[in-house]
Amino acid sequence: MTLDDLPTPCLLLDRGILRRNLAMLQAAVARHPGLQLRPHLKTAKSREVAALAAPDFGPITVSTLAEARYFAEAGWRDQIYAVGITPQKLDAVAALNAAGAAVKVITDDPDAARAIAAHPAGLPALIEVDVGEGRGGVAPEGPALAAIAAALGPRLAGVISHSGHSYEGRSIAAMAAIAEAERAGLLAAATRLRAAGHAVPIVSLGSSPVAMHAASMEGVTEMRAGVYMFGDLFQAQLGTHPPEAIAVTVLASVIGRRPERNTLLLDAGALALSKDRSTAAAPRDYGFGLVLDRDGRPLPGEPVVARAYQEHGEVQGRAPLPFERLPVGARLRVAPNHACLTAAAYDRYHVLEGGAEVVAVWERVNGW
């Protein structure tokens, strides 16, 4: 099977680029003695990717119970379910652990902490700490940290943070500063808890930019990152990876041509690409994705999907498009703004190894 045999739209994954991206981040983590990588599989959602990113069934991070179950059944038992837990989901986590998994949950709420502590399964939990993103988490210096730790008691397994605001950095120095602020905030929380007599074995932080650019991880036990595996147009502009390191693209077909407007229509629209517009705030705006030729090479005029309808994507170029090379039915590829959201539309990867031949098909786990 080759690219010409595939239905469109479909999701492509270049295994060679994936392997290089994994090696790049592993080298970045290895700069910090004693720091363990706990890959976040919320983007990949694939056992085959997990086998490369967390070999020998190493520790992983997940964001849905569907992922937790899917990976646990395949042998990845040491997991952090890194979304605030609700009391209604505790039984599901307990069932996974009773079957041999070791899933840890997170919370930033005293009532949820009491529910965790009261659950007969003895579920380990981490306290989520806000280090500047302003999403979930409690302040390192605030009273809620101590209250949650007291409620958890022996169920307390550590502290956890996510510096999603590292995506706002526009230089290596800025992202290194965010990384240091995250480390300092999380260590402040761990120090407070230890001073109060709590064991805090896990000090877990991360994002792909922080993993790449942190100057020091002293005091941190593990790094979580995920999008680095695939890369995307936004991360490339942050400097998380080089521009050529985008491992996932959407294969699409030309379904309409408008030479008088210098536009094309593709059969990949908002549902196939997502409506993420993260590059709008980056130095180069790629609309809803950068359009490449069938083999992933640049096209004249650096065309982008400028408008996304449910099943239509309108391609516009800054220079005349090569219509003579692009009849209706021609295959093109679209590099995504945000690999996590684009990949979520698909139930499988068509795996390439730098060429047009499909060397494997890897399933994904979707849903919750």
Side-chain angles (χ1 to χ4, degrees), residues 18 22 26 37-41 44 47-55 59-60 76 228-229:
L18 168 63
L22 296 177
Q26 287 163 352
L37 176 62
R38 182 185 286 274
H40 205 319
L41 293 167
R47 290 171 178 168
E48 288 82 1
V49 176
L52 298 173
I60 62 171
W76 283 274
Y228 72 93
M229 300 178 196

Coordinates of all heavy atoms in Angstrom, one line a residue, residues 18 22 26 37-41 44 47-55 59-60 76 228-229:
L18 N 9.6 10.4 14.1 CA 9.2 10.1 15.5 C 10.4 9.7 16.3 O 10.6 10.1 17.4 CB 8.1 9.0 15.5 CG 7.7 8.4 16.8 CD1 7.2 9.4 17.8 CD2 6.8 7.2 16.6
L22 N 12.0 11.5 19.7 CA 12.1 10.8 21.0 C 13.5 10.9 21.5 O 13.8 11.2 22.7 CB 11.7 9.4 20.8 CG 10.2 9.1 20.5 CD1 10.0 7.6 20.3 CD2 9.3 9.7 21.5
Q26 N 14.9 12.7 24.9 CA 15.6 11.9 25.9 C 17.0 12.4 26.2 O 17.4 12.4 27.4 CB 15.7 10.4 25.4 CG 14.3 9.7 25.4 CD 14.3 8.5 24.5 OE1 15.2 8.2 23.8 NE2 13.2 7.7 24.6
L37 N 12.0 10.5 32.8 CA 11.0 10.9 31.8 C 9.8 10.0 32.0 O 9.9 8.8 32.0 CB 11.6 10.8 30.4 CG 10.6 11.1 29.3 CD1 10.2 12.5 29.3 CD2 11.3 10.8 27.9
R38 N 8.7 10.7 32.1 CA 7.4 10.0 32.2 C 6.6 10.6 31.0 O 5.8 11.6 31.1 CB 6.6 10.3 33.5 CG 5.3 9.6 33.6 CD 4.5 10.0 34.8 NE 5.1 9.4 36.1 CZ 4.8 8.2 36.5 NH1 3.9 7.4 35.9 NH2 5.3 7.8 37.7
P39 N 6.7 10.0 29.8 CA 6.1 10.5 28.6 C 4.6 10.6 28.7 O 3.9 9.8 29.3 CB 6.4 9.5 27.5 CG 7.6 8.8 28.0 CD 7.4 8.7 29.5
H40 N 4.0 11.7 28.2 CA 2.6 11.9 28.2 C 2.0 11.4 26.9 O 2.4 11.9 25.8 CB 2.3 13.4 28.4 CG 0.9 13.7 28.9 ND1 -0.2 12.9 28.6 CD2 0.4 14.5 29.9 CE1 -1.3 13.3 29.3 NE2 -0.9 14.3 30.1
L41 N 1.1 10.5 27.0 CA 0.6 9.8 25.8 C -0.7 10.3 25.3 O -1.4 9.7 24.5 CB 0.6 8.3 26.0 CG 2.0 7.7 26.1 CD1 1.9 6.3 26.7 CD2 2.8 7.7 24.8
A44 N -0.3 10.8 21.5 CA -0.1 9.6 20.7 C -1.2 8.6 20.8 O -1.7 8.1 19.8 CB 1.2 9.0 21.1
R47 N -0.3 2.2 21.4 CA 0.6 1.3 22.1 C 2.0 1.2 21.4 O 3.0 1.1 22.0 CB 0.0 -0.1 22.2 CG -1.1 -0.1 23.2 CD -1.9 -1.4 23.1 NE -3.0 -1.5 24.1 CZ -3.9 -2.4 24.1 NH1 -3.9 -3.4 23.2 NH2 -4.8 -2.5 25.1
E48 N 1.9 1.3 20.0 CA 3.2 1.2 19.3 C 4.0 2.4 19.5 O 5.3 2.3 19.6 CB 2.8 1.1 17.8 CG 2.3 -0.3 17.4 CD 0.8 -0.4 17.6 OE1 0.1 0.6 18.1 OE2 0.2 -1.5 17.3
V49 N 3.4 3.6 19.6 CA 4.2 4.8 20.0 C 4.7 4.7 21.4 O 5.9 5.0 21.7 CB 3.4 6.1 19.8 CG1 4.2 7.3 20.3 CG2 3.0 6.2 18.3
A50 N 3.9 4.2 22.3 CA 4.3 4.0 23.7 C 5.5 3.0 23.8 O 6.4 3.3 24.6 CB 3.2 3.4 24.5
A51 N 5.6 2.0 23.0 CA 6.7 1.1 23.0 C 8.0 1.8 22.7 O 9.1 1.3 23.1 CB 6.4 -0.1 22.1
L52 N 7.9 2.8 21.9 CA 9.1 3.6 21.5 C 9.4 4.7 22.5 O 10.6 4.9 22.9 CB 9.0 4.2 20.1 CG 8.8 3.2 19.0 CD1 8.4 4.0 17.7 CD2 10.0 2.4 18.8
A53 N 8.4 5.3 23.1 CA 8.6 6.4 24.0 C 8.8 6.0 25.4 O 9.5 6.7 26.2 CB 7.3 7.4 23.9
A54 N 8.2 4.9 25.8 CA 8.3 4.4 27.2 C 8.7 2.9 27.1 O 7.9 2.0 27.4 CB 7.1 4.6 28.0
P55 N 9.9 2.5 26.6 CA 10.2 1.1 26.4 C 10.3 0.4 27.7 O 10.4 0.9 28.8 CB 11.6 1.2 25.7 CG 12.2 2.5 26.1 CD 11.0 3.5 26.2
P59 N 7.3 4.2 33.0 CA 6.2 5.1 33.5 C 5.6 6.0 32.4 O 6.4 6.5 31.6 CB 6.8 5.9 34.7 CG 8.3 5.9 34.3 CD 8.6 4.6 33.7
I60 N 4.3 6.2 32.5 CA 3.7 7.1 31.5 C 2.7 8.0 32.2 O 2.3 7.8 33.3 CB 3.0 6.2 30.4 CG1 1.8 5.4 31.0 CG2 4.0 5.4 29.6 CD1 0.9 4.7 30.0
W76 N 1.6 -1.3 30.5 CA 2.1 0.0 31.1 C 1.3 0.2 32.3 O 0.2 0.8 32.3 CB 2.0 1.1 30.1 CG 3.1 1.1 29.0 CD1 4.3 1.7 29.1 CD2 3.0 0.5 27.7 NE1 5.0 1.4 27.9 CE2 4.2 0.7 27.1 CE3 2.0 -0.2 27.1 CZ2 4.5 0.2 25.8 CZ3 2.2 -0.7 25.8 CH2 3.5 -0.5 25.2
Y228 N 6.2 16.7 22.0 CA 7.5 16.6 21.3 C 7.6 15.4 20.4 O 8.4 15.3 19.5 CB 8.6 16.5 22.4 CG 8.6 15.2 23.2 CD1 9.4 14.1 22.7 CD2 7.8 14.9 24.3 CE1 9.5 12.9 23.4 CE2 7.8 13.7 24.9 CZ 8.6 12.7 24.5 OH 8.6 11.5 25.1
M229 N 6.8 14.3 20.7 CA 6.9 13.1 19.9 C 6.6 13.3 18.5 O 7.3 12.8 17.6 CB 6.0 12.0 20.5 CG 6.2 11.6 21.9 SD 5.0 10.4 22.4 CE 5.2 10.5 24.2

